[in-house]
Amino acid sequence: MLAAIAAAGGSAVAGALSSADAAVYRGIETDASAAAFTSYPDATMLDHEGRDVSDPALNMSAFAERCQTSLKRAIWEEERGLPPHLYVDPLDGVAVGERAQPDDPRIVYFIGVSRASGAVIASRLLLALHHSSHLYLVHVDLKADPAVYAQLADLTKDHPNIRLLSTRRLVQWGAFTMVLPMLDAIASVVSRNLDFDFFINLSDADMSLRTNEEVVGFLRRYKGRQFVQVHAGNGEWLQRARNFTGAHVLVECGGYGYVSLNDTHAIDVGGGAPPIGTGSSCCFGRGGPVVYANTSRLHLREARAAMTAEAASRAAMEAREAATEAEGEPASEAVRRAREAALESLRYLHTGSQWVVVDRAFCHYLAKDERAMRWRKVFAARFLADESFVQTVLMHSPFASTNVNNNLRWIQWPQQFGDPTPYWEKLGWSFVGGPTVINATEAPSVFAGPFLVARKVDPLVDAEAVRLYDGWMGIKLKNGTSRVWLNGSLIEQEPLGGWALQQQWAQQQQQQQQQQQ
């Protein structure tokens, strides 16, 4: 079954499923789904205090019904060996122009939009990065204000190389639906067999620090490479994240909330999780409430196998670390790097930033290769899949050696300055778990950095930072220069990637040459 779906580009077509099953798999025809799920009994679902969420007194009936439907869908898909469905947009009417130079890379940009200011920021991304030879695919979260979609539809209607994806998803923070719209876009361009070189994902919290000419000039040198940040080491926050994501398997509840399956402890958000029913944490960040269910119908074998393999890899890493410590200090920096590389080679699941630059060949792998589809089944059942899916697929693929471990993004996290809770409390619930918002004071230094994109920007939090950006980028676009006078001060921008990336690139090439000898 999986191979047949792979041959069809990830869609349940060409005889891979019956017409009735295909309708259920698409998830759009509610009557077909309801009929298919009638044979599955409701599971008992408990909240963090051990109460049945179907109790009308809890006022959670709609949420409970949504969770039941999502759980039944997961059972139905598992019984048929199906990965999460990808919606392939036919891209009817889409057209791209000729490249300015024959060796210029053609880029597919994906922009995810969900915020009230989404059209404001997306329009700036399109202005800075636009060229007729590129394709721009925009996904608007189904929860977004209808006015945002209308604004973007009006903005893009006269541009055949800018497309609002026709199928919109309910995107749930911290869940695999953070990844799926991007995979929809990738599957769409792969199915269309579009000639392109790179795929770059962006959001409506990003501001481009580069013009199209800068991006094209930079990527021309890196065809066949990926720019994906893959974490190394075991810092406190990184280890907590890995422990957290490895502790539970789950089902998303249709855009908000989760069912945590066959667990005996509540979700651990730090400091350990007491047994369910003892007043433990009720929710996961902005992802919504978590309920708990035991069922023998859903096994999530791939996800649980990954958890077992990850535990084994951690044990192997700890044994290697203990052996290294027993040997004393490494004799040289080269030996230290070699030991670190050997340690990292034992890691099974990888983490990093969700913001990536990947090439066409890897996009085809993500959309069509059976191994990538199995990873989709793993991460559909894991927390924070957006910060692990691409990294893990890449590092277990034939493309691992093509990666440049740098995502070219400026991102600043509040936990870099201590406990992030006061910062998130100050900005509000919708910022929990996210990076800091760029303010007007720090904006000029961000503009000067060697990055492709900076995030997070929000005009509803600091409109002055956006006004400064408009002035700075306007001069860049007009004059084609990285030296800009803004409000009496000179901003001299570093080259994209900076000297550090050039050194990293040289070291990586040297290591690959040594491995080939």
Side-chain angles (χ1 to χ4, degrees):
M1 175 70 75
L2 204 59
I5 295 171
S11 298
V13 295
L17 293 174
S18 68
S19 58
D21 279 356
V24 178
Y25 190 37
R26 285 193 297 269
I28 297 175
E29 295 86 344
T30 55
D31 290 344
S33 298
F37 301 159
T38 53
S39 62
Y40 301 140
D42 284 351
T44 300
M45 295 182 179
L46 307 179
D47 71 1
H48 63 296
E49 294 185 356
R51 300 172 297 184
D52 191 326
V53 296
S54 64
D55 184 349
L58 297 180
N59 197 28
M60 298 180 70
S61 299
F63 173 67
E65 181 179 353
R66 200 166 65 244
C67 290
Q68 294 286 359
T69 300
S70 298
L71 178 58
K72 292 173 184 178
R73 173 170 295 281
I75 295 169
W76 184 90
E77 290 181 353
E78 182 179 85
E79 288 177 349
R80 288 155 181 79
L82 298 170
H85 182 65
L86 299 186
Y87 295 105
V88 175
D89 192 305
L91 302 180
D92 293 335
V94 165
V96 294
E98 295 295 324
R99 306 167 198 247
Q101 299 295 330
D103 63 340
D104 280 357
R106 172 172 283 137
I107 303 167
V108 176
Y109 288 98
F110 170 78
I111 305 174
V113 174
S114 62
R115 297 170 176 81
S117 58
V120 173
I121 300 303
S123 64
R124 283 158 171 78
L125 288 169
L126 292 168
L127 177 65
L129 297 169
H130 189 266
H131 190 272
S132 61
S133 66
H134 304 320
L135 177 62
Y136 306 82
L137 301 177
V138 182
H139 174 266
V140 182
D141 190 336
L142 200 55
K143 299 191 299 293
D145 189 317
V148 173
Y149 187 89
Q151 291 164 2
L152 286 169
D154 184 64
L155 176 71
T156 61
K157 63 183 179 182
D158 297 323
H159 298 276
N161 64 327
I162 305 176
R163 171 81 170 198
L164 297 185
L165 291 175
S166 55
T167 301
R168 297 167 60 189
R169 291 184 183 267
L170 284 166
V171 178
Q172 185 164 339
W173 183 86
F176 197 52
T177 45
M178 293 278 286
V179 181
L180 282 171
M182 180 185 76
L183 294 181
D184 290 341
I186 289 174
S188 297
V189 295
V190 167
S191 177
R192 177 76 178 265
N193 199 28
L194 180 73
D195 177 22
F196 70 100
D197 298 284
F198 290 99
F199 182 99
I200 300 176
N201 66 333
L202 303 166
S203 84
D204 59 358
D206 292 339
M207 58 183 179
S208 176
L209 302 181
R210 304 291 164 172
T211 64
N212 171 67
E213 288 72 18
E214 290 176 287
V215 178
V216 167
F218 175 80
L219 289 179
R220 189 184 293 122
R221 294 174 284 163
Y222 290 97
K223 288 184 179 180
R225 294 284 171 173
Q226 330 300 325
F227 288 85
V228 178
Q229 180 199 57
V230 182
H231 288 148
N234 288 288
E236 178 187 355
W237 276 95
L238 183 55
Q239 193 58 49
R240 286 177 64 180
R242 285 174 175 154
N243 291 341
F244 181 79
T245 56
H248 302 274
V249 291
L250 58 92
V251 170
E252 296 180 50
C253 291
Y256 187 66
Y258 308 86
V259 181
S260 185
L261 290 165
N262 303 335
D263 288 306
T264 57
H265 285 74
I267 298 297
D268 180 1
V269 293
I276 295 170
T278 58
S280 56
S281 177
C282 67
C283 311
F284 175 54
R286 285 175 271 157
V290 181
V291 296
Y292 302 86
N294 287 301
T295 176
S296 60
R297 299 295 297 266
L298 184 64
H299 305 94
L300 298 174
R301 295 181 183 88
E302 288 85 356
R304 295 191 186 281
M307 293 169 70
T308 301
E310 172 69 355
S313 73
R314 289 185 186 182
M317 291 175 71
E318 290 172 0
R320 180 72 64 88
E321 285 178 316
T324 300
E325 290 176 2
E327 294 172 5
E329 290 298 319
S332 68
E333 179 66 15
V335 171
R336 185 188 67 78
R337 287 201 304 268
R339 283 176 171 166
E340 284 185 352
L343 204 62
E344 286 302 309
S345 70
L346 297 172
R347 192 177 301 285
Y348 187 71
L349 299 180
H350 298 265
T351 57
S353 169
Q354 72 188 86
W355 309 107
V356 301
V357 180
V358 292
D359 82 327
R360 181 187 181 187
F362 185 58
C363 285
H364 277 255
Y365 183 90
L366 282 170
K368 304 187 77 169
D369 194 276
E370 189 170 333
R371 290 164 291 183
M373 290 190 189
R374 288 198 175 97
W375 282 117
R376 273 164 42 200
K377 291 199 283 186
V378 169
F379 283 96
R382 292 181 66 84
F383 281 121
L384 299 177
D386 55 313
E387 297 182 358
S388 191
F389 173 75
V390 172
Q391 286 77 10
T392 300
V393 176
L394 175 63
M395 298 309 290
H396 285 277
S397 79
F399 300 92
S401 63
T402 69
N403 188 42
V404 181
N405 195 350
N406 188 318
N407 67 351
L408 306 175
R409 317 293 171 117
W410 186 96
I411 305 175
Q412 181 174 268
W413 295 92
Q415 48 264 48
Q416 294 173 222
F417 309 99
D419 182 3
T421 306
Y423 179 82
W424 291 331
E425 288 179 343
K426 177 183 176 182
L427 290 189
W429 169 82
S430 63
F431 294 86
V432 170
T436 62
V437 175
I438 298 168
N439 60 50
T441 301
E442 66 189 353
S445 64
V446 174
F447 300 159
F451 304 100
L452 168 66
V453 167
R455 68 186 324 270
K456 188 173 189 178
V457 62
D458 191 327
L460 301 180
V461 174
D462 197 316
E464 181 59 24
V466 178
R467 283 192 286 269
L468 287 172
Y469 172 80
D470 288 344
W472 173 74
M473 180 52 74
I475 297 172
K476 280 195 70 174
L477 288 169
K478 180 180 178 180
N479 299 336
T481 178
S482 59
R483 291 169 54 88
V484 173
W485 284 92
L486 184 67
N487 295 342
S489 298
L490 176 63
I491 299 176
E492 190 164 5
Q493 191 176 28
E494 293 183 58
L496 178 52
W499 292 109
L501 179 60
Q502 294 185 27
Q503 293 173 350
Q504 178 186 357
W505 174 245
Q507 290 173 356
Q508 208 165 1
Q509 287 183 312
Q510 184 179 13
Q511 290 172 359
Q512 290 174 10
Q513 290 171 0
Q514 290 173 350
Q515 292 171 356
Q516 293 170 358
Q517 292 175 352

